[in-house]
Amino acid sequence: KVANKDASKYVLNCLNKAHFLSNTKDCKGFINCPIDKKLISKLKNIGVTEYLASKCQIKDNSEVMLIHNNRLSVVPLTTHFQIKNVAKQIKKKLIVKKIITLNKNFTVLFKKRPKIAVLGLNPHNNEFSIDSEECREIIPAIKILKKKGLRISGPFSSDSFFISNMKNYNVIIGMYHDQVLTPFKTLFHFDAINITLGLNYVRVSPDHGPASDLIGKNSASAISLYRCIRFINNLY
C-alpha cells in the first residue's frame, strides 16, 4: 500500500508538471507512457484524457480522444463511461462540440480537412425509428455540422462499416469506446497513437495499457511509443 501511494503521488506529479510546462509554453506538448489508473486515486473512473481536460479548465467535455494510424483515425464520442450509461450521454450538443474540436485540430495537425464518418448507436441504427438516438440526436447534429461546412456523413450502421466503407474516410466517430477501438485495434494492433485534441497543447500517448503482465519477459512492443516520438518530432 505504501508503494502504491508513492507511485500514485509520483505519476500525478509527473502529469501535473508536464501540464504546467506545456501550458506555460516551455514545451510544445508531451508524451506520457501508459499509466495504471489503479495507482492513481484522483483518476478513479476517468482517464488521463479527462484529467488533463479538467486541468486545462475544459468544462464542456469538448476534448477529443483521437486514436490515429497513418491510414485511419477513430474517435469515441464517449470515453470511459459504463455501457449502461452511454445512451444518456448521446446528445446533439455534445456531438457538435466534439466534432468541431476534431475538425479544427485535425486540420491543423495533419494539414487537411478530414472526411468524417459517424456511426449510429443502436444495431442497424434502430431502423431509424422516431424515438431512436439516431433520429433524436445524431442526425440533427450531422445536419448542423454539414451547414457549417464540415465534410461529414452518417449515421452508418457500425456492424459492417469497417468492412468496406472505412477507406473513404479519414476519421470514424463512434458513440462509445469499444465500438471503434475494437475494430481499429483488430486492424492495426498497437501501431497507433492516442492524441488528445482540444487541450492548450499537444498530448500524445501510446495506444495501449501498461502491460504489467509482460514485465521482465522482453516481449512488449515499443512500436506505439516510437510512433508517438516520431509524431511529435514531425510536428516541431
Side-chain angles (χ1 to χ4, degrees):
K1 290 184 179 179
V2 174
N4 284 358
K5 184 177 180 180
D6 290 343
S8 173
K9 183 177 180 180
Y10 174 77
V11 172
L12 276 174
N13 283 343
C14 288
L15 284 175
N16 291 338
K17 177 62 74 172
H19 163 78
F20 174 78
L21 292 173
S22 299
N23 215 30
T24 55
K25 308 307 180 186
D26 286 335
C27 60
K28 299 286 188 177
F30 68 89
I31 300 168
N32 68 266
C33 287
I35 296 171
D36 185 349
K37 291 193 288 294
K38 292 178 183 177
L39 296 176
I40 307 173
S41 58
K42 284 190 177 181
L43 296 190
K44 187 176 181 181
N45 296 325
I46 67 170
V48 176
T49 300
E50 295 87 355
Y51 180 71
L52 294 175
S54 69
K55 296 286 290 182
C56 288
Q57 310 266 323
I58 297 172
K59 299 178 180 179
D60 62 354
N61 296 318
S62 61
E63 74 279 359
V64 169
M65 177 191 291
L66 180 79
I67 310 300
H68 175 73
N69 174 281
N70 286 336
R71 292 166 53 195
L72 181 69
S73 298
V74 296
V75 170
L77 187 79
T78 59
T79 49
H80 299 103
F81 286 94
Q82 291 184 342
I83 208 72
K84 65 182 180 180
N85 296 323
V86 167
K88 66 182 77 170
Q89 304 297 322
I90 307 303
K91 301 296 181 185
K92 177 177 67 174
K93 186 175 180 180
L94 179 67
I95 297 168
V96 170
K97 284 189 298 188
K98 291 268 191 184
I99 297 181
I100 286 176
T101 296
L102 162 67
N103 187 72
K104 176 183 176 182
N105 286 270
F106 190 99
T107 301
V108 170
L109 288 175
F110 300 106
K111 312 303 181 192
K112 63 181 178 182
R113 292 174 59 234
K115 290 187 67 177
I116 302 168
V118 180
L119 304 181
L121 172 67
N122 298 292
H124 307 293
N125 287 326
N126 202 31
E127 309 298 337
F128 295 107
S129 62
I130 194 168
D131 62 342
S132 67
E133 286 81 5
E134 285 77 12
C135 286
R136 289 189 290 107
E137 308 292 344
I138 300 174
I139 291 174
I142 291 172
K143 288 180 178 178
I144 291 171
L145 292 164
K146 282 185 174 180
K147 287 180 180 179
K148 291 180 179 292
L150 275 69
R151 303 200 298 171
I152 186 168
S153 303
F156 298 98
S157 181
S158 61
D159 62 348
S160 59
F161 185 84
F162 283 84
I163 295 174
S164 57
N165 286 346
M166 70 173 190
K167 66 180 180 294
N168 299 317
Y169 297 92
N170 305 115
V171 187
I172 300 170
I173 309 284
M175 294 299 109
Y176 57 93
H177 187 279
D178 289 4
Q179 186 184 31
V180 286
L181 267 292
T182 298
F184 184 87
K185 290 188 177 185
T186 301
L187 290 166
F188 303 113
H189 301 273
F190 297 118
D191 189 4
I193 61 177
N194 182 347
I195 311 170
T196 305
L197 305 180
L199 303 178
N200 305 335
Y201 45 79
V202 176
R203 173 259 175 173
V204 188
S205 70
D207 182 33
H208 55 71
S212 55
D213 58 317
L214 299 182
I215 293 174
K217 296 181 179 179
N218 197 31
S219 60
S221 171
I223 185 66
S224 189
L225 177 58
Y226 169 75
R227 298 293 188 212
C228 289
I229 295 169
R230 188 172 182 179
F231 173 77
I232 289 287
N233 283 341
N234 286 343
L235 282 180
Y236 306 113

